[in-house]
Amino acid sequence: MGLFDKKYCSVCGDKIGLLGNRKLEDGNLCKSCAAKLSPFFSDRRNSTVEEIKAQLQYREENKSAVAAFNTTRSFGTDTKILIDEDNRKFMVTRARNLAEANPDVLDYSMVTGVDIDIDEDSDEEMREDSEGKSVSYHPQKFNYSYDFYVIIHVNHPYFDTIKIQMNSSSVYTTDAAVFATQKPNPENNAEYRQYKEMCDEVKETLLGARKQARDEAAEAAAPPTVARCPYCGANSTPDASGCCAYCGSPLK
C-alpha cells in the first residue's frame, strides 16, 4: 500500500483524512475515536484494535457514572480534583461541561498512592555592562517561582498515573530578584503555603478515603465470626441484625 492510499478507521469504519490517522498495533484509528479515549491513556500505539474497542466501551459506560457524580469537595484552580464523598468516587478534569468531557470516574479503592511535587524554578536576573552586554550581578540575583503538583497513582486498566498542577500560574515568593545569598524561605509566602496545604489536604483525603474503603471491603469479605449466645448458650453465627440464629437474642 502506498503512503497516500485511503485508510479507514479499524473501529468505526469511517474514512480517515490525510493527517488524521492514529496508528494502532494492528490497525488505524480516526481522530474522532481517538478523542473519546481517556485523557490519561498514553499507550495507544501499542494497543490492538480489540483493546481500543474495549476501552471505548468502558468510556461509554463511564457516562452513567459522570451523570450520577455529585461533587461535594473540589481542589485546584484550572484542573480540578472533584470529590464525591457520598459515593466514594473522584474525578480529575478542567472541563466545565462534565457530560461533554466525560472525565474518568474513579473509586477511592483504586488509589495506590499519592505524591506531592513542588517544582522550584530560578531565573537569573541580568544587568547590562558598559559595552551593552548582558552580564550577571555579583553575587548573582534570581527570581524564585514554584509550581505545585499532585501525582495520584491508581490501579486502573488504562492508566496508572494522574499528574495535576494545582496552581494555574507560578507562585513567585518575591516581588523582585534577590541575591542568591538572600534566597527567601518560600514558607513565609502566604500563596506558597496555601497551595502546599491544598496538596497536603488532597493527599490526606484520598489516602484516608482509600484506607477506609479497603478496610470496609476486607471486613465485608471476612468470614463471619461464631459467637456463643449469652441467652441460649448456642454457638451461632450472627444474622444480618447481629442476633443469634437460634433464639434471636442480640449477640453483642
Side-chain angles (χ1 to χ4, degrees):
M1 295 180 65
L3 179 63
F4 299 107
D5 289 345
K6 293 180 180 178
K7 293 183 175 63
Y8 294 86
C9 179
S10 303
V11 173
C12 70
D14 285 353
K15 180 180 176 181
I16 299 175
L18 182 61
L19 301 177
N21 190 30
R22 305 291 185 267
K23 287 292 295 178
L24 302 176
E25 185 177 289
D26 59 350
N28 302 302
L29 191 69
C30 68
K31 289 194 295 184
S32 177
C33 287
K36 298 176 184 177
L37 298 173
S38 168
F40 308 119
F41 177 66
S42 60
D43 200 29
R44 169 183 51 80
R45 293 186 67 88
N46 295 319
S47 299
T48 65
V49 172
E50 289 307 310
E51 288 170 338
I52 293 298
K53 286 182 177 179
Q55 183 179 165
L56 290 176
Q57 177 62 36
Y58 145 74
R59 292 285 293 156
E60 188 64 27
E61 294 168 356
N62 187 72
K63 292 179 180 179
S64 297
V66 172
F69 195 91
N70 178 39
T71 302
T72 58
R73 298 178 71 185
S74 175
F75 301 97
T77 50
D78 187 8
T79 300
K80 296 182 182 295
I81 302 171
L82 305 179
I83 307 288
D84 182 348
E85 296 167 298
D86 298 329
N87 295 305
R88 302 183 181 187
K89 299 180 185 297
F90 71 99
M91 62 171 68
V92 177
T93 183
R94 62 185 304 170
R96 294 188 176 183
N97 187 331
L98 297 181
E100 182 179 319
N102 191 28
D104 297 279
V105 177
L106 306 174
D107 292 318
Y108 285 165
S109 59
M110 290 181 176
V111 177
T112 60
V114 180
D115 295 323
I116 297 171
D117 178 23
I118 302 176
D119 183 24
E120 178 186 89
D121 187 36
S122 56
D123 285 328
E124 183 178 3
E125 184 163 300
M126 311 295 282
R127 66 180 179 84
E128 192 176 283
D129 66 7
S130 58
E131 297 179 355
K133 297 180 180 179
S134 182
V135 297
S136 296
Y137 284 92
H138 295 288
Q140 292 173 289
K141 295 177 72 174
F142 292 92
N143 289 292
Y144 293 95
S145 63
Y146 299 85
D147 290 302
F148 300 79
Y149 298 91
V150 170
I151 303 154
I152 306 173
H153 305 282
V154 296
N155 181 15
H156 192 278
Y158 300 114
F159 51 88
D160 55 20
T161 304
I162 305 172
K163 185 174 182 179
I164 313 107
Q165 183 172 351
M166 305 303 291
N167 55 312
S168 56
S169 58
S170 297
V171 174
Y172 285 85
T173 53
T174 57
D175 295 328
V178 296
F179 290 115
T181 55
Q182 300 173 341
K183 177 185 173 181
N185 180 355
E187 294 280 0
N188 293 330
N189 180 276
E191 191 176 11
Y192 178 99
R193 293 197 306 272
Q194 172 194 339
Y195 283 111
K196 185 176 184 300
E197 289 168 3
M198 181 186 294
C199 291
D200 290 339
E201 189 174 358
V202 170
K203 182 174 182 177
E204 181 181 350
T205 297
L206 290 180
L207 291 185
R210 177 197 67 167
K211 183 178 185 305
Q212 181 181 357
R214 292 188 175 187
D215 286 350
E216 291 179 357
E219 183 179 350
T225 302
V226 175
R228 184 175 181 81
C229 178
Y231 297 94
C232 70
N235 292 323
S236 172
T237 300
D239 62 17
S241 301
C243 296
C244 174
Y246 297 97
C247 71
S249 301
L251 289 177
K252 294 184 180 180

